[in-house]
Amino acid sequence: MADGLRRLVGAESGRVLQEKLESWYRDYEINSCDQNLNRCCEIIELNSEIQGQLFTILNETSREGGHYAGVETIKTRLLPWLGTCFSCATSGRLFETNLSLAQDSIEKERQLRELASNQTFQLQELQEELTSTRLQLSHVQQDLKTSCAQEKDALRKLDRLNDYEQQIQILRDEISILDAQKSVLQSRFVRSRSPSPRHSESKSPSPLPLRSCSPGRARRTNASRRACLVARFGDIYAQERLDAETILRGYINDMEMVQRIIYIAAVESFHAAKTAYRQFKIRVRDTLSLGHSGPESLEDAVLDYIVRHEDLYDVQASVNEVIRSMNINPKISFPPEIDFIVISTLIRELCRVAFSMQTLVPPLDVAFGIDGELFSETKYHRSFESDFTAALVAYHVWPALMENDVVIVKGEAVTKRGALWSHRSRSRSRSRSRSTSPLLAHHLSRSRSPSPLRSGSPRH
């Protein structure tokens, strides 16, 4: 008996029966009628196997007790139960219960099929709506692209119109100046040919007044223009300077020389732009003084005119001047087959900003710096390759922006111990005599107002 009971326990038939019952209970609602009947038959078969094993154990147990052992228990418990299980009434009730369960299963299966059919129909409707929505979205995107293209075309036309209006305004201003000059010349011509001063005065036409150029506009916009120019100066340091550094590194391996070239280009650009501004201002003052009349002073009128006509600034002439100065600067060297024109973009932007900064009140300028000067925390940042214990500047990377004697934007410098003296020894042995390259000569020939050569050392 112990062996049969051990085999029954080891087979874990009771646990398997319980798991099948639980699994059937979970899946009963979604199973079909045939599936539920098959599950039930499987459980009945498993239960029959367990009952067969139990009856075998019962038989073996009764034998172990002797001929009359267990008779009372079998009589009082087993026989009544067997009679109840095999009675007709019980069988009828079980059949009715099974029939009812089968009908319920068939009904639930029908409901599930209807539900699945409804869900399939709804899914088809959703797919049709999604297709329609995608088609509408495609039409909207196409309309948006068309509208964007039309808007860009309108903006281009508007920009072109603004350019035309600006050119017309410039031409009108120039015509007014020419009319004033013509009136003055006519009056001088009449006075020179008239024998009587009184007659000359009576015959000479009065000069035509110049059209007012928005009196005081430059001073009213001074603060906003100053903020924009300071921000642009910082952008050049962050963008055009790095672009020029990348270009120069393609020709020069010495990073110190690359940074020196860029610094000298910045200083020379400001010097050339300031020189061009002074000359331009003199020409404008001489012209406007011929027929100036109005509530604003002549200086305000000159400043307003320059601010409104900064596009007349010959920036290419300043670029050529900067390149000429750099070509004879003893502090920097460059391969003879390459010209400094490769960084003309940086020089041009610096000249434009420097020229515009001269129209501010007060004007902005870059700080004067020399190798070996005492490092100033208020004027410069130390470069990352600096010796932070050194007190003297070995060389400059970027100039500081100044307003009178106040630092507006810090520059950048490198401090190293002994670097100044080694650089001076290298400078003594370096020859910087180079002929102008054909590419530079071509650009110099396009300059409208070239200025004479000047010393290569930075000046302000």
Side-chain angles (χ1 to χ4, degrees):
M1 184 279 298
D3 293 336
L5 182 58
R6 186 182 301 109
R7 287 193 299 270
L8 180 61
V9 172
E12 298 181 350
S13 300
R15 183 178 60 80
V16 174
L17 178 61
Q18 180 65 27
E19 290 177 354
K20 285 184 175 292
L21 286 172
E22 292 176 355
S23 175
W24 185 25
Y25 179 77
R26 288 193 302 268
D27 300 335
Y28 185 86
E29 297 295 334
I30 60 175
N31 288 339
S32 64
C33 178
D34 291 336
Q35 290 175 338
N36 285 325
L37 291 176
N38 287 328
R39 288 286 186 91
C40 184
C41 290
E42 290 177 1
I43 293 172
I44 292 173
E45 292 172 355
L46 181 60
N47 187 47
S48 299
E49 293 176 359
I50 296 174
Q51 286 182 351
Q53 294 176 4
L54 289 174
F55 276 108
T56 301
I57 295 173
L58 179 65
N59 188 25
E60 293 176 353
T61 303
S62 64
R63 289 178 181 177
E64 291 176 356
H67 186 70
Y68 296 101
V71 174
E72 186 66 24
T73 302
I74 292 174
K75 184 187 299 183
T76 58
R77 298 199 61 181
L78 181 61
L79 292 178
W81 176 77
L82 290 175
T84 304
C85 290
F86 291 100
S87 62
C88 294
T90 303
S91 299
R93 286 196 298 271
L94 290 175
F95 178 76
E96 292 176 357
T97 302
N98 292 335
L99 181 60
S100 176
L101 291 175
Q103 291 177 350
D104 292 342
S105 176
I106 293 173
E107 180 64 23
K108 289 181 179 179
E109 184 178 359
R110 185 184 62 79
Q111 293 177 358
L112 288 175
R113 289 178 180 175
E114 291 180 355
L115 180 60
S117 177
N118 292 334
Q119 290 179 348
T120 303
F121 180 73
Q122 292 177 358
L123 181 60
Q124 292 177 353
E125 289 184 344
L126 290 175
Q127 289 177 347
E128 292 177 357
E129 292 180 359
L130 180 60
T131 303
S132 176
T133 303
R134 288 177 178 175
L135 183 60
Q136 293 177 0
L137 180 60
S138 177
H139 291 326
V140 171
Q141 290 177 344
Q142 186 65 31
D143 294 341
L144 182 60
K145 290 181 181 179
T146 305
S147 300
C148 290
Q150 294 176 353
E151 184 178 358
K152 290 181 180 179
D153 185 60
L155 290 176
R156 284 195 296 268
K157 292 180 179 179
L158 183 60
D159 292 338
R160 195 178 299 114
L161 180 61
N162 291 335
D163 293 338
Y164 290 156
E165 291 179 351
Q166 185 178 7
Q167 293 176 6
I168 292 173
Q169 190 64 44
I170 293 174
L171 292 175
R172 286 177 178 174
D173 292 338
E174 292 178 353
I175 290 173
S176 298
I177 295 174
L178 292 175
D179 288 341
Q181 292 176 344
K182 178 182 177 182
S183 299
V184 173
L185 292 176
Q186 286 178 347
S187 63
R188 290 177 181 176
F189 178 75
V190 171
R191 285 197 301 268
S192 65
R193 298 191 61 179
S194 175
S196 172
R198 182 177 301 176
H199 179 71
S200 176
E201 292 175 0
S202 62
K203 293 295 184 179
S204 61
S206 60
L208 295 177
L210 287 177
R211 186 177 57 84
S212 176
C213 299
S214 300
R217 178 179 181 272
R219 294 185 181 274
R220 291 197 306 270
T221 61
N222 189 76
S224 60
R225 291 188 296 112
R226 178 183 180 276
C228 293
L229 290 172
V230 171
R232 179 58 185 144
F233 184 78
D235 293 340
I236 293 176
Y237 169 80
Q239 185 61 47
E240 280 83 357
R241 179 186 69 90
L242 297 180
D243 294 341
E245 185 177 289
T246 302
I247 294 174
L248 292 176
R249 288 302 300 272
Y251 306 108
I252 304 175
N253 294 326
D254 187 0
M255 188 61 184
E256 176 182 338
M257 182 56 61
V258 169
Q259 292 177 335
R260 285 181 177 274
I261 290 173
I262 292 176
Y263 172 76
I264 291 176
V267 174
E268 292 292 344
S269 296
F270 267 80
H271 182 85
K274 289 189 297 182
T275 302
Y277 177 79
R278 288 193 294 268
Q279 297 173 355
F280 187 70
K281 186 176 182 180
I282 291 172
R283 293 196 299 269
V284 174
R285 183 188 293 111
D286 292 344
T287 303
L288 294 182
S289 62
L290 298 177
H292 173 70
S293 61
E296 79 281 5
S297 65
L298 178 60
E299 289 298 320
D300 286 344
V302 170
L303 187 59
D304 289 342
Y305 184 89
I306 296 175
V307 169
R308 294 183 58 187
H309 301 87
E310 287 187 23
D311 55 320
L312 297 179
Y313 166 46
D314 188 2
V315 65
Q316 185 60 45
S318 296
V319 172
N320 296 337
E321 173 66 18
V322 172
I323 294 176
R324 279 196 296 266
S325 300
M326 294 177 67
N327 281 331
I328 60 175
N329 193 305
K331 291 186 178 182
I332 54 179
S333 62
F334 206 55
E337 67 275 8
I338 305 299
D339 206 283
F340 289 118
I341 200 170
V342 296
I343 58 171
S344 59
T345 300
L346 171 67
I347 298 173
R348 179 175 287 101
E349 294 304 315
L350 284 169
C351 289
R352 291 182 187 278
V353 170
F355 185 89
S356 299
M357 286 181 174
Q358 306 313 304
T359 64
L360 300 176
V361 182
L364 302 182
D365 199 359
V366 292
F368 177 75
I370 57 175
D371 296 347
E373 68 176 330
L374 185 64
F375 179 78
S376 173
E377 294 284 353
T378 60
K379 188 181 293 186
Y380 299 105
H381 295 289
R382 292 182 193 263
S383 292
F384 66 91
E385 66 268 22
S386 298
D387 182 355
F388 284 80
T389 62
L392 300 181
V393 174
Y395 63 93
H396 298 80
V397 177
W398 192 252
L401 188 63
M402 309 286 290
E403 185 179 61
N404 293 332
D405 295 330
V406 179
V407 177
I408 302 301
V409 178
K410 283 187 178 183
E412 184 177 345
V414 177
T415 57
K416 290 183 179 179
R417 294 184 180 274
L420 178 62
W421 315 117
S422 62
H423 174 73
R424 286 181 176 177
S425 63
R426 290 197 304 268
S427 299
R428 294 191 187 98
S429 62
R430 182 187 301 126
S431 175
R432 178 63 176 165
S433 176
R434 300 170 59 238
S435 61
T436 304
S437 67
L439 182 60
L440 176 62
H442 171 70
H443 279 265
L444 294 179
S445 64
R446 297 178 61 187
S447 173
R448 289 181 290 175
S449 57
S451 59
L453 294 175
R454 58 186 181 84
S455 175
S457 59
R459 298 185 301 274
H460 297 269

